[in-house]
Amino acid sequence: MTTIRCDIVSAEAEIFHGEATLVVASGAMGELGITPRHAPLITRLKPGQVEVVRPDGERLSFYVSGGILEVQPQVVTVLADTALRAADIDEAAALKAKQEAQDALSNRKDAIELAEAQAQLVQAIAQLQALERLRKQLKH
């Protein structure tokens, strides 16, 4: 079976390094599925889930706050400000952040605060979606 190396790196640490048969991520223009021998590319990532399918079929889920995805002939690299294994997401903190962002949006003050609240809301929702997908995978 052909594989491609995958590296997921945050500003703090390397989160994952290993072989994969498929890497799925949310690019700026939509969902991307990267397989071995994929054409080289660089794209921005939206906050959301990155899924890595290992050669043995195991599916690993990660949350990224956004960043850059680079595809080279032998390696896929995800560079993110924040990256977490989906199982490590603090659901209570994500729900609290979502509520605070929604409150800030309803109390619109200025354009900068509005943009910050929208960004926080997008990240909180992406974290909760990553948790939900992980739960669905564990049920199967």
Side-chain angles (χ1 to χ4, degrees), residues 25-32 41-48 50 64-71 77-81:
S26 298
M29 301 300 285
E31 292 291 309
L32 295 163
L41 71 89
I42 294 177
T43 188
R44 289 179 172 244
L45 292 175
K46 295 189 301 187
V50 173
V64 296
S65 61
I68 302 291
L69 177 123
E70 178 184 24
V71 179
T77 305
V78 175
L79 303 170
D81 290 333

Tab-separated table of all heavy atoms in Angstrom, residues 25-32 41-48 50 64-71 77-81:
chain	number	residue	atom	x	y	z
A	25	ALA	N	-8.776	17.754	5.116
A	25	ALA	CA	-8.736	19.024	5.834
A	25	ALA	C	-9.692	20.019	5.174
A	25	ALA	O	-10.068	19.864	4.012
A	25	ALA	CB	-7.316	19.585	5.833
A	26	SER	N	-10.048	21.058	5.940
A	26	SER	CA	-10.926	22.118	5.436
A	26	SER	C	-10.088	23.265	4.908
A	26	SER	O	-9.588	24.084	5.675
A	26	SER	CB	-11.847	22.627	6.555
A	26	SER	OG	-12.679	21.601	7.001
A	27	GLY	N	-9.924	23.307	3.605
A	27	GLY	CA	-9.170	24.385	2.977
A	27	GLY	C	-10.020	25.629	2.822
A	27	GLY	O	-11.237	25.598	3.004
A	28	ALA	N	-9.389	26.720	2.480
A	28	ALA	CA	-10.097	27.985	2.306
A	28	ALA	C	-11.173	27.885	1.223
A	28	ALA	O	-12.196	28.549	1.304
A	28	ALA	CB	-9.102	29.084	1.961
A	29	MET	N	-10.948	27.027	0.229
A	29	MET	CA	-11.899	26.892	-0.870
A	29	MET	C	-12.778	25.641	-0.764
A	29	MET	O	-13.531	25.338	-1.677
A	29	MET	CB	-11.146	26.862	-2.198
A	29	MET	CG	-10.309	28.119	-2.456
A	29	MET	SD	-11.279	29.626	-2.517
A	29	MET	CE	-12.026	29.448	-4.109
A	30	GLY	N	-12.646	24.896	0.335
A	30	GLY	CA	-13.463	23.702	0.517
A	30	GLY	C	-12.655	22.546	1.070
A	30	GLY	O	-11.484	22.687	1.407
A	31	GLU	N	-13.304	21.386	1.161
A	31	GLU	CA	-12.664	20.192	1.707
A	31	GLU	C	-11.602	19.661	0.754
A	31	GLU	O	-11.811	19.639	-0.459
A	31	GLU	CB	-13.698	19.088	1.956
A	31	GLU	CG	-14.681	19.402	3.061
A	31	GLU	CD	-14.047	19.417	4.438
A	31	GLU	OE1	-13.351	18.463	4.809
A	31	GLU	OE2	-14.261	20.410	5.152
A	32	LEU	N	-10.491	19.212	1.338
A	32	LEU	CA	-9.399	18.632	0.558
A	32	LEU	C	-9.170	17.201	1.019
A	32	LEU	O	-9.133	16.935	2.218
A	32	LEU	CB	-8.099	19.411	0.795
A	32	LEU	CG	-8.057	20.844	0.319
A	32	LEU	CD1	-6.920	21.578	0.977
A	32	LEU	CD2	-7.869	20.839	-1.186
A	41	LEU	N	0.774	21.379	-3.603
A	41	LEU	CA	-0.048	22.574	-3.435
A	41	LEU	C	0.197	23.186	-2.065
A	41	LEU	O	0.711	22.528	-1.162
A	41	LEU	CB	-1.540	22.278	-3.630
A	41	LEU	CG	-2.279	21.463	-2.566
A	41	LEU	CD1	-2.853	22.360	-1.490
A	41	LEU	CD2	-3.426	20.714	-3.217
A	42	ILE	N	-0.198	24.430	-1.949
A	42	ILE	CA	-0.203	25.134	-0.665
A	42	ILE	C	-1.535	25.851	-0.582
A	42	ILE	O	-1.969	26.493	-1.542
A	42	ILE	CB	0.939	26.165	-0.562
A	42	ILE	CG1	2.282	25.457	-0.568
A	42	ILE	CG2	0.792	27.005	0.707
A	42	ILE	CD1	3.470	26.390	-0.543
A	43	THR	N	-2.216	25.739	0.576
A	43	THR	CA	-3.490	26.421	0.757
A	43	THR	C	-3.662	26.803	2.216
A	43	THR	O	-3.059	26.191	3.098
A	43	THR	CB	-4.671	25.550	0.282
A	43	THR	OG1	-5.872	26.334	0.301
A	43	THR	CG2	-4.859	24.328	1.157
A	44	ARG	N	-4.506	27.779	2.444
A	44	ARG	CA	-4.879	28.154	3.804
A	44	ARG	C	-5.898	27.151	4.320
A	44	ARG	O	-6.701	26.625	3.556
A	44	ARG	CB	-5.509	29.543	3.840
A	44	ARG	CG	-4.533	30.644	3.593
A	44	ARG	CD	-5.264	31.986	3.617
A	44	ARG	NE	-4.290	33.029	3.555
A	44	ARG	CZ	-4.089	33.909	4.529
A	44	ARG	NH1	-4.836	33.874	5.602
A	44	ARG	NH2	-3.164	34.831	4.413
A	45	LEU	N	-5.865	26.934	5.633
A	45	LEU	CA	-6.849	26.074	6.279
A	45	LEU	C	-7.807	26.919	7.103
A	45	LEU	O	-7.402	27.894	7.729
A	45	LEU	CB	-6.163	25.066	7.202
A	45	LEU	CG	-5.321	24.000	6.528
A	45	LEU	CD1	-4.612	23.158	7.579
A	45	LEU	CD2	-6.180	23.126	5.639
A	46	LYS	N	-9.076	26.521	7.085
A	46	LYS	CA	-10.069	27.148	7.954
A	46	LYS	C	-10.027	26.423	9.298
A	46	LYS	O	-9.590	25.267	9.374
A	46	LYS	CB	-11.466	27.003	7.353
A	46	LYS	CG	-11.655	27.730	6.050
A	46	LYS	CD	-13.098	27.739	5.595
A	46	LYS	CE	-13.654	26.348	5.410
A	46	LYS	NZ	-14.997	26.331	4.815
A	47	PRO	N	-10.500	27.060	10.364
A	47	PRO	CA	-10.617	26.338	11.633
A	47	PRO	C	-11.505	25.118	11.426
A	47	PRO	O	-12.557	25.208	10.797
A	47	PRO	CB	-11.280	27.346	12.570
A	47	PRO	CG	-10.942	28.678	11.985
A	47	PRO	CD	-10.918	28.456	10.495
A	48	GLY	N	-11.048	23.983	11.924
A	48	GLY	CA	-11.843	22.773	11.765
A	48	GLY	C	-11.034	21.523	11.993
A	48	GLY	O	-9.977	21.541	12.611
A	50	VAL	N	-8.924	18.096	10.989
A	50	VAL	CA	-8.020	17.424	10.060
A	50	VAL	C	-8.101	15.952	10.419
A	50	VAL	O	-7.933	15.583	11.586
A	50	VAL	CB	-6.568	17.934	10.187
A	50	VAL	CG1	-5.630	17.107	9.325
A	50	VAL	CG2	-6.489	19.404	9.802
A	64	VAL	N	-7.674	22.046	14.223
A	64	VAL	CA	-6.715	23.122	13.968
A	64	VAL	C	-7.477	24.437	13.935
A	64	VAL	O	-8.621	24.501	13.473
A	64	VAL	CB	-5.911	22.932	12.658
A	64	VAL	CG1	-5.035	21.698	12.733
A	64	VAL	CG2	-6.800	22.892	11.442
A	65	SER	N	-6.833	25.482	14.429
A	65	SER	CA	-7.467	26.799	14.481
A	65	SER	C	-7.351	27.536	13.158
A	65	SER	O	-7.742	28.687	13.053
A	65	SER	CB	-6.806	27.640	15.579
A	65	SER	OG	-5.437	27.818	15.284
A	66	GLY	N	-6.840	26.875	12.166
A	66	GLY	CA	-6.539	27.482	10.878
A	66	GLY	C	-5.056	27.283	10.639
A	66	GLY	O	-4.359	26.681	11.450
A	67	GLY	N	-4.563	27.756	9.532
A	67	GLY	CA	-3.142	27.614	9.255
A	67	GLY	C	-2.889	27.383	7.782
A	67	GLY	O	-3.644	27.844	6.927
A	68	ILE	N	-1.833	26.627	7.520
A	68	ILE	CA	-1.395	26.358	6.149
A	68	ILE	C	-1.244	24.854	5.958
A	68	ILE	O	-0.733	24.155	6.842
A	68	ILE	CB	-0.035	27.037	5.865
A	68	ILE	CG1	-0.106	28.541	6.091
A	68	ILE	CG2	0.474	26.707	4.468
A	68	ILE	CD1	-0.947	29.286	5.094
A	69	LEU	N	-1.681	24.358	4.802
A	69	LEU	CA	-1.461	22.968	4.421
A	69	LEU	C	-0.550	22.989	3.203
A	69	LEU	O	-0.832	23.699	2.228
A	69	LEU	CB	-2.778	22.277	4.081
A	69	LEU	CG	-2.606	20.833	3.612
A	69	LEU	CD1	-3.416	19.896	4.487
A	69	LEU	CD2	-3.007	20.685	2.169
A	70	GLU	N	0.535	22.223	3.285
A	70	GLU	CA	1.469	22.122	2.167
A	70	GLU	C	1.578	20.662	1.758
A	70	GLU	O	1.793	19.789	2.599
A	70	GLU	CB	2.845	22.643	2.553
A	70	GLU	CG	3.861	22.518	1.423
A	70	GLU	CD	5.267	22.937	1.823
A	70	GLU	OE1	5.591	22.905	3.025
A	70	GLU	OE2	6.044	23.272	0.921
A	71	VAL	N	1.433	20.402	0.474
A	71	VAL	CA	1.564	19.051	-0.064
A	71	VAL	C	2.797	19.013	-0.963
A	71	VAL	O	2.904	19.804	-1.901
A	71	VAL	CB	0.316	18.633	-0.869
A	71	VAL	CG1	0.498	17.231	-1.443
A	71	VAL	CG2	-0.935	18.712	-0.013
A	77	THR	N	2.192	18.579	5.112
A	77	THR	CA	2.502	19.305	6.338
A	77	THR	C	1.362	20.253	6.660
A	77	THR	O	0.925	21.026	5.804
A	77	THR	CB	3.806	20.115	6.189
A	77	THR	OG1	4.849	19.227	5.794
A	77	THR	CG2	4.188	20.779	7.494
A	78	VAL	N	0.883	20.175	7.911
A	78	VAL	CA	-0.127	21.096	8.412
A	78	VAL	C	0.560	21.975	9.441
A	78	VAL	O	1.067	21.477	10.449
A	78	VAL	CB	-1.312	20.343	9.065
A	78	VAL	CG1	-2.282	21.327	9.695
A	78	VAL	CG2	-2.015	19.465	8.037
A	79	LEU	N	0.604	23.278	9.170
A	79	LEU	CA	1.183	24.249	10.090
A	79	LEU	C	0.034	25.065	10.668
A	79	LEU	O	-0.653	25.773	9.934
A	79	LEU	CB	2.160	25.170	9.363
A	79	LEU	CG	3.315	24.484	8.640
A	79	LEU	CD1	4.063	25.481	7.769
A	79	LEU	CD2	4.247	23.828	9.635
A	80	ALA	N	-0.186	24.954	11.977
A	80	ALA	CA	-1.316	25.632	12.610
A	80	ALA	C	-0.859	26.414	13.833
A	80	ALA	O	0.092	26.013	14.507
A	80	ALA	CB	-2.364	24.598	13.030
A	81	ASP	N	-1.551	27.516	14.113
A	81	ASP	CA	-1.271	28.242	15.355
A	81	ASP	C	-1.606	27.352	16.546
A	81	ASP	O	-0.844	27.241	17.482
A	81	ASP	CB	-2.094	29.523	15.439
A	81	ASP	CG	-1.639	30.573	14.432
A	81	ASP	OD1	-0.451	30.548	14.048
A	81	ASP	OD2	-2.476	31.403	14.047
